[in-house]
Amino acid sequence: AQSVTQLDSQVPVFEEAPVELRCNYSSSVSVYLFWYVQYPNQGLQLLLKYLSGSTLVKGINGFEAEFNKSQTSFHLRKPSVHISDTAEYFCAVSGSSFQKLVFGTGTRLLVSP
Amino acid sequence: GAGVSQTPSNKVTEKGKYVELRCDPISGHTALYWYRQSLGQGPEFLIYFQGTGAADDSGLPNDRFFAVRPEGSVSTLKIQRTERGDSAVYLCASSLAGKETQYFGPGTRLLVL
């Protein structure tokens, strides 16, 4: 079975500061990893994904994440956040069949001026 | 193009009533997924359709929940004898067959009084 742990339920940060949102996964098979963002009253939007190849993946809105197989992690980073990045961020994993996604409990990023 | 749409956006019902939630996937997407997101949690998988058939319904919590997709496009999630614990946001997603990216709708917020 697959599972995802997001260690921080909430991360407060000042505008223009860097941020890292942590994600660890557990799986006995090859995995594919995703980060989704959910703005208030909106649906989930894909930020980035890791399927294979380079372990550093770049996504939309200046976000990037690094897949670390030995640490079973897929942390999300942004070098300089904006107020508009305030949202809920979900890490998710799926198996090779690309069927169901298993999500973490989410991390609320709060960016203040 | 049009994204995934879900209706209604909000539904308030009384305990014991029957509800139907509708999902219109992106045109041409043969895969369709339902998830449930309770307050403060990540989305949890309910059921996955490939075409008209349910390929994986392992996430349905009990036999009060049922979903159909008779023509391989629109899907309806049906909940009988609703309970207060069914209150959640029900999310629908779709994808191209065999593709990893799921596109989410805005969700239906269900409140059972």
Side-chain angles (χ1 to χ4, degrees):
Chain A
Q2 298 164 332
S3 67
V4 173
T5 301
Q6 292 185 247
L7 299 169
D8 305 300
S9 60
Q10 190 166 289
V11 173
V13 63
F14 288 110
E15 192 174 20
E16 298 183 7
V19 70
E20 177 180 84
L21 305 183
R22 296 181 292 171
C23 171
N24 287 86
Y25 68 92
S26 173
S27 176
S28 58
V29 297
S30 297
V31 296
Y32 302 94
L33 294 154
F34 306 81
W35 276 97
Y36 279 84
V37 60
Q38 188 173 38
Y39 298 103
N41 300 315
Q42 294 187 30
L44 291 160
Q45 179 182 2
L46 181 68
L47 270 179
L48 48 79
K49 60 190 176 188
Y50 171 78
L51 305 180
S52 64
S54 174
T55 57
L56 182 64
V57 292
K58 294 188 183 297
I60 61 171
N61 301 340
F63 284 93
E64 64 181 33
E66 186 156 19
F67 171 62
N68 188 318
K69 188 174 182 179
S70 63
Q71 297 187 6
T72 61
S73 67
F74 190 55
H75 301 332
L76 181 70
R77 302 186 184 99
K78 186 170 183 178
S80 176
V81 296
H82 302 290
I83 296 286
S84 59
D85 292 323
T86 294
E88 189 89 21
Y89 291 79
F90 292 95
C91 182
V93 63
S94 75
S96 58
S97 58
F98 296 135
Q99 293 179 10
K100 63 183 178 184
L101 290 169
V102 176
F103 286 88
T105 51
T107 297
R108 183 171 298 276
L109 177 63
L110 296 170
V111 183
S112 54
Chain B
V4 178
S5 63
Q6 293 185 246
T7 54
S9 54
N10 291 280
K11 176 70 177 179
V12 181
T13 191
E14 295 178 343
K15 180 176 177 297
K17 298 290 187 182
Y18 167 83
V19 296
E20 288 190 351
L21 312 179
R22 176 187 167 109
C23 172
D24 272 279
I26 293 172
S27 178
H29 281 193
T30 57
L32 186 145
Y33 312 79
W34 283 99
Y35 294 84
R36 179 169 70 173
Q37 186 176 16
S38 300
L39 196 61
Q41 301 296 315
E44 292 180 300
F45 169 78
L46 295 176
I47 187 169
Y48 155 61
F49 286 91
Q50 183 56 252
T52 60
D56 182 359
D57 65 357
S58 62
L60 294 177
N62 50 60
D63 62 6
R64 295 186 298 105
F65 288 75
F66 190 71
V68 296
R69 196 186 184 200
E71 297 178 359
S73 179
V74 171
S75 176
T76 304
L77 178 66
K78 308 180 181 194
I79 310 174
Q80 298 178 320
R81 304 183 303 281
T82 52
E83 300 177 357
R84 292 193 179 89
D86 298 335
S87 296
V89 176
Y90 289 81
L91 297 169
C92 177
S94 70
S95 72
L96 292 168
K99 294 298 183 182
E100 69 285 348
T101 301
Q102 295 182 24
Y103 297 86
F104 283 80
T108 293
R109 188 176 301 274
L110 176 66
L111 178 61
V112 182
L113 301 177

